[in-house]
Amino acid sequence: MSRLRLFETGELNARQWAIHERLTTGRRVGRTPYPIVDDEGRLLGPTNAWLLSPAIGEAFELLGGAIRFDLSVSHRIREIVTLQVAQHRDSPYELYAHRLTAPGAGLSETEIEDLCAGRDPGLTDEREQVAYTVTRALIDSGDLGDDAYEQAVAVLGAQGLFEITVLVGWYQLTATQLAVFGVEPPHAR
């Protein structure tokens, strides 16, 4: 059971409503395989808490959109990273949402289940394997050794490596927020 009640749309102030509108009418519409709002139009998942602090919520909406739609790393790599963080943090909502999202990125059911169980999925694409290894290092130790750094930059480029560090940080932050506010996936309610 969530510790934070869902904000009713009729009680939102102008800044909160602007966040709600960008989330529900913007480029996410039709591209998310899980519900963003409930039947009453209330935000679900991590975005409901964003309304507690509109200044942060606005920044999160922009960053979340950039992470979802504007990175140079592939959608497959984004999901490989996200599922690793979700598994590491044992984040039920992130696991729920990204089990639904990952097939659209081209991950097989076996790859998804391996990532959700903390197993190496046996990726054969060099970029994906390096992204997997970098993510594992970041969630296990919070850093990369010199050799891992050099390999990551050689294969992914500095931009790709930076984007993976942002993804790991974003989903760590999201997992923390979801845990603190007790946000569960719809099937767990």
Side-chain angles (χ1 to χ4, degrees):
M1 170 92 39
S2 180
R3 293 174 172 167
L4 180 65
R5 71 175 180 81
L6 298 178
F7 285 88
E8 301 293 336
T9 57
E11 69 185 14
L12 302 180
N13 66 35
R15 286 183 82 183
Q16 291 169 321
W17 184 251
I19 295 165
H20 183 283
E21 285 295 290
R22 282 194 302 276
L23 289 166
T24 59
T25 64
R27 57 187 174 169
R28 289 173 178 84
V29 174
R31 297 172 76 177
T32 304
Y34 51 89
I36 296 174
V37 295
D38 68 7
D39 292 339
E40 287 83 43
R42 299 175 298 187
L43 292 174
L44 298 172
T47 58
N48 181 58
W50 297 0
L51 300 177
L52 291 168
S53 178
I56 294 173
E58 289 166 350
F60 277 11
E61 187 279 325
L62 288 171
L63 180 57
I67 285 171
R68 178 115 186 251
F69 302 110
D70 300 327
L71 298 186
S72 68
V73 297
S74 71
H75 190 185
R76 273 183 61 90
I77 287 176
R78 290 194 323 265
E79 292 304 317
I80 289 164
V81 171
T82 304
L83 287 170
Q84 284 181 271
V85 174
Q87 182 278 326
H88 176 76
R89 288 297 306 269
D90 191 23
S91 180
Y93 193 91
E94 285 180 332
L95 287 166
Y96 151 76
H98 290 277
R99 278 180 187 217
L100 294 174
T101 305
L107 273 80
S108 70
E109 185 175 325
T110 301
E111 289 170 325
I112 294 166
E113 290 311 309
D114 282 346
L115 290 163
C116 289
R119 295 186 300 263
D120 186 332
L123 301 165
T124 57
D125 178 88
E126 183 181 28
R127 291 177 59 81
E128 293 173 4
Q129 182 57 48
V130 169
Y132 174 86
T133 302
V134 165
T135 302
R136 184 92 264 138
L138 292 175
I139 60 180
D140 288 346
S141 72
D143 197 1
L144 291 179
D146 290 340
D147 291 343
Y149 174 85
E150 293 300 327
Q151 180 188 26
V153 170
V155 173
L156 300 168
Q159 179 181 353
L161 176 57
F162 171 74
E163 290 173 355
I164 289 172
T165 66
V166 171
L167 283 166
V168 170
W170 174 258
Y171 285 104
Q172 289 271 20
L173 178 148
T174 302
T176 299
Q177 176 190 314
L178 291 165
V180 168
F181 290 107
V183 179
E184 294 288 331
H187 66 276
R189 291 185 182 147

